[in-house]
Amino acid sequence: MLRVRVISLFPEMFAALTESGITRRASEHALVEIEVLNPREFSEDKHQSVDDRPYGGGPGMVMRVEPLKKAVEAAQSSLALPREQVLRIYLSPQGRRLDKVGVNHLGSIAETKGLILICGRYEGVDERFLATEVDEEWSIGDYVLSGGELPAMVLLDALIRKLPTALGDEQSAEQDSFENGLLDCPHYTRPEKWSPHEGGSNETLVVPEVLLSGDHKRIADWRLQQSLVRTWLRRPDLIEALKARGEFSPELNEILQAGLQKN
Ligand SMILES: C[S@@+](CC[C@H](N)C(=O)[O-])C[C@H]1O[C@@H](n2cnc3c(N)ncnc32)[C@H](O)[C@@H]1O
């Protein structure tokens, strides 16, 4: 089970994760346990303040060490695990950029350890808190959001999808983009023929014939070729990465070249 404690000034935001879709089902099936602690409840002043003005002046506010530290300690005891069995992560635009390798890495850590995810707000948190209470910093990309809640949910969703029984159909995670170093192939569903301009031109878009053939080998070959062409056109860096790892075989190159000629 993925055991997570989140430190956030906006606990209600996490309903988006626990009350919808795959992540909701994972919570209901006890694959994941998420508890959100609000640092405001650990503030000892009468206004329950969690932030203060920055030393040195300048705009914005900074989250104070004390309420955050107490919230993290409460999260630690609620996990009931020793310190070394908990990974404390601060979501930060200055952290390591999350990608598939990072998700897999954190997923394997979470198999044996609890996670505490700390969401910043305002200008960020007092540096002394990061220096003493946080193990790792992770970013979801080179842009700045108003708070760490959405990044924490992005990270959690990515981790939950990877849990063995979280997805109804085990196959669907394996076929996702990046799993084999390539982008996913295109998908189609009913109807077989569809016109984008109702009553207008008689242009009709049809499902590729191979997908209706029932021939599993041909379908798998077509999907691989589509993935290769799509990756080459949209993300040539992924093809280069496969080559650098020695995973882009002459056979794959042949399938790609044949696909490019058809396109
Ligand atoms: C407005 S941001 C503070 C940004 C900070 N002043 C900086 O430039 O590095 C407030 C909080 O949002 C979160 N945050 C913003 N962008 C993020 C990103 N790309 N990845 C992860 N967390 C992010 C962090 O927790 C941060 O403390």
Side-chain angles (χ1 to χ4, degrees), residues 90-94 118-125 138-141 143-148 151:
Y90 172 53
L91 283 308
S92 163
Q94 301 179 26
I118 299 138
C119 307
R121 280 272 157 178
Y122 318 120
E123 285 306 311
V125 311
W138 286 83
S139 163
I140 61 159
Y143 42 84
V144 174
L145 299 170
S146 319

Side-chain angles (χ1 to χ4, degrees), residues 37-226:
L37 295 94
N38 189 339
R40 208 170 285 290
E41 284 168 18
F42 299 89
S43 172
E44 280 176 356
D45 70 32
K46 63 174 187 243
H47 303 294
Q48 287 193 298
S49 81
V50 288
D51 58 323
D52 210 332
R53 283 165 302 170
Y55 278 118
M61 301 294 269
V62 176
M63 289 182 81
R64 292 167 45 225
V65 179
E66 292 99 328
L68 279 174
K69 182 169 160 48
K70 287 190 175 131
V72 165
E73 280 164 359
Q76 184 79 41
S77 28
S78 135
L79 281 168
L81 290 170
R83 173 69 184 89
E84 64 279 8
Q85 274 183 37
V86 176
L87 183 68
R88 297 174 176 183
I89 295 174
Y90 172 53
L91 283 308
S92 163
Q94 301 179 26
R96 172 174 162 187
R97 184 130 37 113
L98 190 65
D99 60 6
K100 184 191 105 171
V101 175
V103 170
N104 289 344
H105 163 74
L106 291 173
S108 64
I109 289 178
E111 281 171 18
T112 55
K113 292 188 177 188
L115 298 181
I116 298 181
L117 305 184
I118 299 138
C119 307
R121 280 272 157 178
Y122 318 120
E123 285 306 311
V125 311
D126 189 308
E127 193 65 24
R128 292 166 294 182
F129 172 78
L130 301 180
T132 55
E133 300 297 326
V134 166
D135 300 320
E136 293 183 8
E137 297 189 24
W138 286 83
S139 163
I140 61 159
D142 286 352
Y143 42 84
V144 174
L145 299 170
S146 319
E149 286 77 9
L150 291 172
M153 284 191 268
V154 166
L155 170 57
L156 286 173
D157 189 311
L159 291 177
I160 291 167
R161 279 183 69 75
K162 304 285 282 184
L163 294 173
T165 53
L167 302 180
D169 178 0
E170 290 260 6
Q171 289 287 309
S172 45
E174 279 165 32
Q175 288 171 3
D176 277 346
S177 293
F178 313 112
E179 281 304 310
N180 60 358
L182 298 173
L183 299 181
D184 195 5
C185 63
H187 299 282
Y188 297 86
T189 186
R190 286 186 287 180
E192 201 180 309
K193 293 179 183 162
W194 177 72
S195 169
H197 312 291
E198 263 179 54
S201 79
N202 51 10
E203 179 197 12
T204 303
L205 300 178
V206 296
V207 174
E209 171 276 323
V210 58
L211 297 179
L212 309 171
S213 70
D215 181 337
H216 298 303
K217 166 87 174 67
R218 268 185 73 211
I219 292 171
D221 290 349
W222 180 87
R223 286 184 169 153
L224 174 61
Q225 187 166 64
Q226 290 291 316

Side-chain angles (χ1 to χ4, degrees), residues 4-18 33-42 71-72 74-75 78 115-119 149 152-153 156:
V4 186
R5 300 293 178 267
V6 181
I7 311 297
S8 163
L9 289 170
F10 297 96
E12 66 282 2
M13 287 181 74
F14 289 83
L17 197 74
T18 54
E33 173 196 87
I34 301 172
E35 191 185 310
V36 189
L37 295 94
N38 189 339
R40 208 170 285 290
E41 284 168 18
F42 299 89
V72 165
S78 135
L115 298 181
I116 298 181
L117 305 184
I118 299 138
C119 307
E149 286 77 9
M153 284 191 268
L156 286 173

